[in-house]
Amino acid sequence: MSYFPRLKESTIYRGAYFLVSLAVLLLDQWTKGVVMRTFQVHESREIVSGFFDLTYVQNSGAAFGLFASVDSSVKAIVLNSVAVIVFLIVTGYALRSSHKSVRLQMGLALALGGAVGNLLDRVRFTYVVDFLDFSISGHHWPAFNVADSAICAGVALLFLDMLQREDDAEAQPAAL
């Protein structure tokens, strides 16, 4: 005799997607905490010469430092409001979409985990902690973090899902 009622398949899938978001959030917050405890702001440590450094940056702007130079009390309200609205829309879409659309749901789960990680930083510190710092042949990419990486991976999965759905739609004959 089982002490647990039989779980619906959708509950198991959605629980797994939730755990992906939670894992992204926890890894993001843990890595940011390590950086904040062990680095001074703008301190950099070379990991792979000429390619990858860990550099503690406090990003008060949007993704990749966009709008960081804008000095306005409204900026924080706008950025946080946009993040909350996107969170609500993506969560609603995830719950309305089929739990069996694994690529779609994983993309949404990764994006949500990353968005919540960065939103927590904004609420707690008024900035996002970035620290992954890449450059190639003198071309420097703005520092980013685990949350940003999850968001980008999630968007890539969403894009692939969208392309696959277009291919499926084109492959089906039109109804007469």
Side-chain angles (χ1 to χ4, degrees), residues 10-144:
S10 64
T11 303
I12 294 168
Y13 272 84
R14 294 196 190 285
Y17 302 136
F18 172 76
L19 290 176
V20 168
S21 289
L22 184 62
V24 167
L25 175 62
L26 293 175
L27 180 62
D28 176 64
Q29 292 297 296
W30 177 74
T31 55
K32 290 172 178 175
V34 169
V35 168
M36 291 174 73
R37 284 189 303 277
T38 58
F39 285 71
Q40 298 295 318
V41 177
H42 303 295
E43 180 182 352
S44 188
R45 296 184 192 163
E46 185 177 79
I47 305 301
V48 178
S49 180
F51 177 68
F52 176 56
D53 297 337
L54 292 177
T55 304
Y56 178 16
V57 176
Q58 295 177 345
N59 177 3
S60 63
F64 306 111
L66 294 173
F67 312 117
S69 62
V70 175
D71 190 25
S72 170
S73 59
V74 178
K75 179 175 69 172
I77 294 168
V78 169
L79 289 175
N80 289 344
S81 297
V82 167
V84 169
I85 290 167
V86 168
F87 170 79
L88 293 173
I89 290 170
V90 171
T91 300
Y93 186 69
L95 292 173
R96 291 175 49 115
S97 299
S98 171
H99 63 276
K100 291 185 178 181
S101 296
V102 176
R103 186 172 35 226
L104 170 72
Q105 293 289 349
M106 286 297 291
L108 294 171
L110 289 168
L112 280 175
V116 171
N118 283 341
L119 179 61
L120 276 177
D121 281 11
R122 286 192 190 292
V123 169
R124 289 172 42 207
F125 311 123
T126 70
Y127 57 84
V128 173
V129 174
D130 288 333
F131 58 91
L132 301 171
D133 189 9
F134 286 89
S135 60
I136 299 173
S137 301
H139 300 286
H140 188 262
W141 187 256
F144 58 98

Side-chain angles (χ1 to χ4, degrees), residues 137-157:
S137 301
H139 300 286
H140 188 262
W141 187 256
F144 58 98
N145 57 43
V146 171
D148 297 331
S149 300
I151 291 168
C152 289
V155 167
L157 286 174

